Amino acid sequence: MKPYKEMTREELLQEKASLEARFNEVKAKGLKLDMSRGKPSKEQLELSNGMMDVLNSSSDMLCEAGVDCRNYGIMDGIPEARRLLADMSEVPEKNILIYGNSSLNVMFDTVSRAMTMGVCGHTPWGKLDKVKFLCPVPGYDRHFGITEFFGIEMINVPLLETGPDMDMVEKLVAEDDAIKGIWCVPKYSNPTGISYSDETVRRFAHLKPAAPDFRIFWDNAYSIHHLYEDDQDVILELLTECEKAGTEDMVYKFISTSKVTFPGSGIAAMAASEANLADARRAMFYQTIGHDKLNQLRHVRFFKDMDGMRAHMKKHADILRPKFEAVLDVFEKELGGLEIGSWVKPKGGYFISFDALEGCAKKIVAMAKEAGVTLTGAGATFPYGKDPKDSNIRIAPSFPEPEELSLAAEIFVLSVKLVSLEKLLALRS
Amino acid sequence: MKPYKEMTREELLQEKASLEARFNEVKAKGLKLDMSRGKPSKEQLELSNGMMDVLNSSSDMLCEAGVDCRNYGIMDGIPEARRLLADMSEVPEKNILIYGNSSLNVMFDTVSRAMTMGVCGHTPWGKLDKVKFLCPVPGYDRHFGITEFFGIEMINVPLLETGPDMDMVEKLVAEDDAIKGIWCVPKYSNPTGISYSDETVRRFAHLKPAAPDFRIFWDNAYSIHHLYEDDQDVILELLTECEKAGTEDMVYKFISTSKVTFPGSGIAAMAASEANLADARRAMFYQTIGHDKLNQLRHVRFFKDMDGMRAHMKKHADILRPKFEAVLDVFEKELGGLEIGSWVKPKGGYFISFDALEGCAKKIVAMAKEAGVTLTGAGATFPYGKDPKDSNIRIAPSFPEPEELSLAAEIFVLSVKLVSLEKLLALRS
């Protein structure tokens, strides 16, 4: 098909009429499909059901340290869980602290602690007139939610195919000591799916921020969440690069098993330099007597080691891959050549990011909703929910059943086409 | 035996020599007994082992709301867990929010939120020059730790047999709007074991604090932790009393199942007015996608309802009661009539509180340590770790094996006697 913008007004109107007919047809089906959040499907959850069996009433509940996991004790996490999550984070065991069930919670608490207590002895952010964060966009709405909640000013930085625009990042952090952090999803980025290039990671390690308490919030949420066996992204390990550059205190890494085992019943961790972990432990000592060690034990007994976890992730990939491909196939077939949107084919993670014609995202999301497909709200991938171009839409293909997905994708595509046609027709009238 | 103070110097020296001989005898055994923390024993942990069996790989994982507990969703807690913990808290289900594995964490986060965001729209405490908390003493060291961590000034209020000195509490909160909170363990208080009288609870409900954002931090940690079947304390339910008085926004209640099922792998909750819960939910929305619903489900499937939980607590009592009695028997037998210390016989909770002669607590703890018995550090039951009289010692009899307890109690008593004798002898020289 030729690009819409090359069509005559007549052709556009004809196309519109035919699409509307089809749209009303699918709308009449009264579907209810959710593509709004990166939520594993039932089939994926089943993969981890065995984790419920590894601990039962007759199990040995001692961890390697000889401590009964049912009782109080061991604030840092049991040794075997630290080792497993250190491996997952690609850092030595000494650089890891195990937390509760969610890395989002660890990130929130880390910002909260910086607000009330400051970072490693520096002035608490809450005592400063202005605190700013750099936000590569499009990005993860819940990152932006945390900084917005604490009244931190957010500055958009374009996310390129190699990662954030590092020229801009380097310039901004060097100039402005109110900039205290940057949100990053370095691998299979939420939502665009890109992974940071080696050069980007090295430039992060060599940042020269004006603020001594500037920290990189490195949310490696999809570190082992590949879609393909033979085509995987590998990123440089940031803490190591920072150590080489003598900047190891500049980074907090976050991971969790929420999308490895069970969302909400996983275990989370922070990886960082010893100085940063000491800072975190100071607060943790007052915040809790310890995290859920039985759930840590359950994870370790289930996976044994990183090889076990990687084998498990292949099963996730086998379920997710056809879903991504079903959506991408529809996009390719229905939108290819029309020049009314672009997308990146991700090699991992949970999302497909779609860029519509400017000013069309909100309308597309609303139209898809009308036909029963819930998408992440347009704008959600930007700080304050404001996409300056009203163009980016995040699509999460993980949750719907495979047979529903092609239909959901069709509804999405119909919405894109109809809204784009309206825009093009309006421009000509 | 007659009181030490009525003994002659000769008699005291003779007693001292005989006690020292016995002390060296037990010291030579090289014991290692821990009476420092309210830690359930192995036997108590076994009581909840069945909770590991109620969920396995073939279980139905749907909660009453029809949501799969393995997946994301339901921030407030699953309905059946809210109902169970509402019953445990003696409040309606609408007044409860389920959190993670520790009520200490909920309390920390509640203070943290007040620091950064303020309470129900009032100025964040972190923006004020001075924030103060009332601390009934002796009290729980980890409460005082939280307020100390956040730089909140702590004011000691004597804990009487009826609860905190309410004349003092009423006067202080009415006069000083920098006083934003008070720490309370209303039932089987940590460490004295007393429960607040009905009058105390009613006076709490009718407090007229100068600060509109003053909150009572009501840590009902031992609400169902009775030692006796036929002699239990009952306290008035504060939220209800506050509702009658129109002060329902003045209280946060906290509970957890840490000492019901597994410490560290329990579930915690906050009970409060709808306005306070809305305030808490605003932060929770940014802090987490949800707490561990599988562990919530595990608790509900194990206990079924409050009757199940109460029956379970009787089993704990059967294990704990002889331990408390073993210690109290030694106290009675060895210290009765000597007038060198006083204690309350608790009807529930986890502690026995001992008041030594002034200036003796630190020395007693050090001496017991020398003979292999670890006690909570003297002073720990006071803000900043400073007991103005150096008199109070918290004893936790739950963890040691029964056969060890009499010996541990004997070591404690020997230490009390020897340190007291030294004091009395010094006074006479």
Side-chain angles (χ1 to χ4, degrees):
Chain A
M1 218 168 187
K2 65 181 169 186
Y4 274 6
K5 62 185 177 190
E6 291 174 17
M7 287 186 183
T8 63
R9 193 178 149 77
E10 275 312 297
E11 284 172 321
L12 289 176
L13 286 170
Q14 200 172 357
E15 171 83 350
K16 187 161 177 268
S18 120
L19 292 168
E20 275 169 348
R22 175 64 187 151
F23 183 81
N24 288 328
E25 228 175 274
V26 289
K27 186 176 154 183
K29 297 189 188 210
L31 298 167
K32 217 182 149 192
L33 303 173
D34 194 343
M35 296 174 96
S36 70
R37 298 226 67 97
K39 201 171 163 177
S41 63
K42 189 160 183 294
E43 200 185 350
Q44 284 178 272
L45 300 175
E46 307 286 342
L47 297 177
S48 303
N49 266 6
M51 200 173 73
M52 310 272 217
D53 297 329
V54 291
L55 287 192
N56 58 49
S57 57
S58 52
S59 300
D60 169 23
M61 309 289 183
L62 297 185
C63 70
E64 282 178 8
V67 170
D68 191 327
C69 290
R70 297 169 301 180
N71 219 328
Y72 290 119
I74 310 201
M75 200 175 67
D76 289 6
I78 61 174
E80 50 268 62
R82 293 185 70 194
R83 200 161 56 235
L84 180 65
L85 267 66
D87 284 351
M88 192 182 164
S89 290
E90 303 170 339
V91 300
E93 201 181 319
K94 70 174 166 55
N95 292 116
I96 205 133
L97 273 185
I98 310 289
Y99 282 80
N101 75 327
S102 138
S103 57
L104 187 72
N105 200 325
V106 187
M107 291 182 253
F108 181 98
D109 284 6
T110 303
V111 174
S112 182
R113 192 173 72 243
M115 293 298 291
T116 56
M117 308 307 301
V119 170
C120 292
H122 293 282
T123 309
W125 296 354
K127 301 272 185 206
L128 301 174
D129 290 333
K130 185 63 108 181
V131 175
K132 304 175 190 172
F133 254 60
L134 301 184
C135 299
V137 288
Y140 179 33
D141 54 350
R142 287 190 175 263
H143 285 163
F144 305 151
I146 290 173
T147 25
E148 184 172 4
F149 179 76
F150 285 108
I152 292 171
E153 184 183 318
M154 294 181 278
I155 301 168
N156 293 0
V157 173
L159 184 73
L160 314 176
E161 294 215 6
T162 51
D165 178 338
M166 291 310 290
D167 292 342
M168 191 170 166
V169 170
E170 285 166 356
K171 188 166 177 292
L172 287 170
V173 302
E175 281 173 1
D176 187 352
D177 70 358
I179 297 176
K180 300 296 189 188
I182 181 168
W183 287 119
C184 295
V185 184
K187 197 164 175 180
Y188 304 134
S189 171
N190 176 350
T192 72
I194 66 100
S195 296
Y196 294 11
S197 69
D198 291 355
E199 193 201 337
T200 296
V201 176
R202 285 199 194 95
R203 287 174 78 176
F204 264 111
H206 286 86
L207 279 184
K208 308 249 174 303
D213 52 350
F214 171 86
R215 292 293 181 272
I216 302 163
F217 285 67
W218 197 255
D219 180 5
N220 209 353
Y222 308 108
S223 60
I224 54 172
H225 302 59
H226 311 286
L227 286 172
Y228 299 93
E229 188 64 23
D230 55 352
D231 189 12
Q232 304 186 341
D233 287 348
V234 175
I235 60 166
L236 279 182
E237 199 288 296
L238 179 61
L239 191 58
T240 311
E241 293 305 311
C242 284
E243 273 164 8
K244 287 188 214 163
T247 58
E248 65 273 14
D249 292 340
M250 199 163 61
V251 54
Y252 297 131
K253 290 180 68 171
F254 305 95
I255 51 158
S256 86
T257 65
S258 294
K259 290 194 181 76
V260 176
T261 58
F262 299 125
S265 302
I267 54 177
M270 180 162 95
S273 70
E274 289 175 71
N276 281 329
L277 291 192
D279 206 38
R281 274 193 193 95
R282 257 192 295 280
M284 206 199 249
F285 176 80
Y286 294 101
Q287 191 172 17
T288 181
I289 302 183
H291 297 290
D292 187 339
K293 291 187 295 298
L294 286 175
N295 208 29
Q296 294 172 23
L297 194 63
R298 216 173 261 129
H299 275 75
V300 179
R301 297 253 170 104
F302 182 57
F303 288 122
K304 309 254 177 343
D305 55 25
M306 215 35 229
D307 286 340
M309 203 187 272
R310 276 192 213 97
H312 183 81
M313 294 312 291
K314 281 185 202 167
K315 299 179 198 161
H316 277 290
D318 288 342
I319 297 171
L320 284 169
R321 195 171 46 247
K323 295 189 177 186
F324 274 77
E325 289 177 349
V327 173
L328 290 164
D329 284 354
V330 173
F331 283 12
E332 204 58 60
K333 192 169 145 248
E334 296 291 328
L335 295 173
L338 296 189
E339 296 180 13
I340 55 172
S342 61
W343 60 94
V344 180
K345 183 176 174 297
K347 294 194 279 181
Y350 264 70
F351 304 103
I352 298 166
S353 175
F354 185 86
D355 284 313
L357 296 179
E358 279 196 41
C360 289
K362 275 189 204 305
K363 287 180 193 154
I364 292 168
V365 170
M367 186 170 266
K369 179 86 194 169
E370 219 185 292
V373 173
T374 304
L375 297 158
T376 310
T381 53
F382 284 74
Y384 311 105
K386 283 181 196 154
D387 176 356
K389 294 184 179 168
D390 184 25
S391 158
N392 186 254
I393 300 172
R394 187 182 80 166
I395 295 154
S398 57
F399 192 69
E401 295 300 313
E403 57 271 25
E404 301 169 334
L405 261 175
S406 303
L407 194 54
E410 194 199 338
I411 290 170
F412 177 76
V413 159
L414 281 170
S415 306
V416 170
K417 285 180 175 175
L418 281 165
V419 171
S420 304
L421 279 170
E422 271 162 33
K423 174 174 169 157
L424 293 172
L425 284 165
L427 284 174
R428 298 200 197 171
S429 63
Chain B
M1 218 167 186
K2 65 181 169 186
Y4 275 5
K5 63 183 176 191
E6 291 174 16
M7 286 187 185
T8 64
R9 191 177 152 77
E10 277 311 297
E11 285 173 319
L12 289 176
L13 286 170
Q14 203 173 354
E15 170 84 350
K16 187 162 178 266
S18 119
L19 293 168
E20 274 169 349
R22 176 65 186 149
F23 184 80
N24 288 327
E25 232 174 87
V26 289
K27 187 177 155 181
K29 298 190 188 208
L31 297 165
K32 216 182 149 192
L33 302 172
D34 194 343
M35 295 174 94
S36 70
R37 297 228 68 99
K39 202 171 161 177
S41 63
K42 191 162 182 294
E43 201 185 348
Q44 285 178 273
L45 299 175
E46 308 286 341
L47 297 177
S48 303
N49 267 6
M51 201 173 72
M52 311 273 218
D53 297 329
V54 292
L55 287 192
N56 59 48
S57 57
S58 52
S59 302
D60 169 23
M61 309 290 183
L62 296 187
C63 69
E64 282 178 9
V67 170
D68 191 327
C69 290
R70 298 170 300 179
N71 219 330
Y72 290 119
I74 310 202
M75 201 174 67
D76 289 5
I78 61 173
E80 49 268 62
R82 294 185 69 195
R83 199 161 57 236
L84 180 66
L85 267 68
D87 285 351
M88 190 181 165
S89 291
E90 303 169 339
V91 301
E93 200 181 319
K94 71 176 166 50
N95 292 115
I96 204 132
L97 273 185
I98 310 289
Y99 281 81
N101 75 325
S102 139
S103 56
L104 186 72
N105 200 325
V106 187
M107 292 182 254
F108 181 98
D109 283 6
T110 303
V111 175
S112 182
R113 193 173 70 242
M115 293 297 291
T116 55
M117 308 308 300
V119 170
C120 292
H122 293 282
T123 309
W125 296 354
K127 300 273 184 206
L128 301 173
D129 290 334
K130 184 64 107 181
V131 175
K132 304 175 190 171
F133 254 59
L134 301 184
C135 299
V137 289
Y140 179 32
D141 54 349
R142 288 189 174 265
H143 285 164
F144 306 151
I146 290 173
T147 24
E148 184 172 5
F149 179 77
F150 285 107
I152 293 171
E153 185 183 317
M154 294 181 278
I155 301 169
N156 292 0
V157 172
L159 184 72
L160 314 175
E161 294 214 6
T162 51
D165 178 338
M166 291 308 293
D167 292 343
M168 190 170 167
V169 170
E170 285 166 356
K171 187 165 177 292
L172 286 170
V173 302
E175 280 172 3
D176 188 352
D177 70 358
I179 297 176
K180 300 297 189 188
I182 181 168
W183 288 118
C184 296
V185 184
K187 197 163 176 181
Y188 304 135
S189 170
N190 175 352
T192 72
I194 66 103
S195 296
Y196 293 11
S197 70
D198 291 355
E199 193 201 337
T200 297
V201 176
R202 284 199 194 96
R203 287 174 76 175
F204 264 113
H206 286 87
L207 279 184
K208 307 249 174 304
D213 52 350
F214 171 85
R215 292 293 181 272
I216 302 163
F217 285 66
W218 196 255
D219 180 5
N220 209 352
Y222 308 108
S223 60
I224 54 173
H225 302 57
H226 311 287
L227 285 172
Y228 299 93
E229 187 64 23
D230 56 351
D231 189 12
Q232 303 187 341
D233 287 348
V234 175
I235 61 167
L236 279 182
E237 198 289 295
L238 179 61
L239 192 59
T240 311
E241 294 305 311
C242 284
E243 273 164 8
K244 287 188 214 163
T247 58
E248 66 274 12
D249 292 342
M250 199 164 58
V251 54
Y252 298 132
K253 291 180 66 171
F254 304 96
I255 51 159
S256 86
T257 65
S258 295
K259 289 192 182 75
V260 177
T261 57
F262 300 125
S265 303
I267 55 177
M270 180 162 96
S273 70
E274 288 173 76
N276 281 329
L277 291 192
D279 206 38
R281 273 192 193 98
R282 257 191 295 279
M284 206 197 246
F285 176 79
Y286 294 101
Q287 190 172 18
T288 181
I289 301 183
H291 297 289
D292 186 340
K293 292 187 296 296
L294 286 175
N295 207 29
Q296 294 172 23
L297 194 63
R298 217 175 261 128
H299 276 75
V300 179
R301 296 256 170 104
F302 182 57
F303 289 121
K304 310 255 177 341
D305 54 26
M306 214 35 228
D307 286 339
M309 203 188 272
R310 276 192 213 98
H312 183 80
M313 293 313 290
K314 282 185 200 166
K315 299 180 198 162
H316 277 290
D318 289 341
I319 299 171
L320 285 170
R321 195 170 49 247
K323 296 190 178 189
F324 275 77
E325 289 177 349
V327 173
L328 290 164
D329 284 352
V330 173
F331 283 13
E332 203 59 61
K333 191 168 146 249
E334 298 289 330
L335 295 173
L338 296 190
E339 296 182 12
I340 55 172
S342 61
W343 59 95
V344 179
K345 184 177 175 296
K347 295 194 278 182
Y350 265 72
F351 304 103
I352 298 166
S353 175
F354 184 86
D355 283 314
L357 297 179
E358 279 195 41
C360 290
K362 273 189 204 308
K363 287 179 192 154
I364 292 168
V365 170
M367 185 169 266
K369 179 86 193 169
E370 219 185 290
V373 173
T374 304
L375 297 158
T376 310
T381 53
F382 285 75
Y384 311 107
K386 283 181 196 155
D387 175 357
K389 294 184 178 167
D390 184 25
S391 160
N392 186 255
I393 301 172
R394 186 183 81 166
I395 296 155
S398 57
F399 192 69
E401 295 302 311
E403 57 272 25
E404 300 169 334
L405 262 176
S406 303
L407 194 55
E410 193 199 339
I411 290 171
F412 178 76
V413 158
L414 281 170
S415 306
V416 170
K417 285 178 175 177
L418 281 165
V419 171
S420 304
L421 280 171
E422 270 164 33
K423 174 173 171 158
L424 294 171
L425 283 166
L427 284 173
R428 301 203 194 170
S429 63

